[in-house]
Amino acid sequence: MCQNSHVAENSLNPETVSASVPQDSISHTAYALASQHLPPAILNHCLRVWVYARELGEHEGLSSSRFPLLFAACILHDIGATPAFAKLDSEELQRFEIEGADAAASLLRAAEDPSISHDDIEEVWRAIALHSTPQIAERMGGLVRIVRLAVLSDFQRGVVAGKEGLQTEIEAQFERLDIERVLADAVIQQALCSRMPAGKAPAASWPNDLLRAYRSNPKGKGVNEGF
């Protein structure tokens, strides 16, 4: 399980990506980091989440000045599930959502952009850290709520921001590539390959749900029941 068996080539059209990524330095830097480390299935998922978040943001009247921050939160929300950001050798193991939130916050601080405040960075941090936390994130508003709803939109069929057929359209551009299995395996792998699985998959967390389901049926071939 400590070897990633999900190897796939991403056939993303550069023009499609260019049209989807906002044309600002923060978004470009965030996308560069994501595309360097995320496997194809998770990168496509993060791009779909961004498109849904953009539609939700526009639908809810989010200021256009917030969209680079929203993009950073979306494209990096699963970066903590990659080996580069797992920090399995750290004295204090943390679930992948926290590692991803820390990585995004570090990227925003390193940008030294005077238009990005401490509160902005904290909001992006919360949006990523809480994206798998049901009921709480939806009630917090702002980027936290939008990212949570966008993530749900990619895993639950239905109308997004009042637009029929949006999911079919987006999945034609950014294919799913078995995302449910790829993401679940990445999260489980971190826990199993760490010296203390409870650190990467603490009780009452989504990673713990995935780990428990895997342990109850390690040879299962379908989507993890904890997903």
Side-chain angles (χ1 to χ4, degrees), residues 157-171:
R157 313 310 298 174
V159 177
V160 180
K163 292 194 173 184
E164 295 277 0
L166 180 61
Q167 289 170 316
T168 300
E169 175 187 339
I170 298 309
E171 289 177 9

Side-chain angles (χ1 to χ4, degrees), residues 176-190:
R176 297 195 67 80
L177 303 178
D178 206 13
I179 178 58
E180 289 83 358
R181 290 184 62 191
V182 174
L183 182 55
D185 283 358
V187 175
I188 294 166
Q189 177 177 291
Q190 284 194 2

Side-chain angles (χ1 to χ4, degrees), residues 88 91-93 190-201:
L88 296 183
E91 292 184 3
E92 183 180 358
L93 294 173
Q190 284 194 2
L192 293 178
C193 296
S194 69
R195 68 179 187 282
M196 187 174 65
K200 299 300 290 185

Side-chain angles (χ1 to χ4, degrees), residues 53-80:
R54 182 181 64 198
E55 296 294 336
L56 288 163
E58 292 175 352
H59 186 73
E60 296 191 2
L62 184 71
S63 169
S64 60
S65 66
R66 309 292 290 167
F67 278 81
L69 297 173
L70 179 60
F71 178 82
C74 291
I75 203 68
L76 297 176
H77 80 273
D78 282 335
I79 197 77

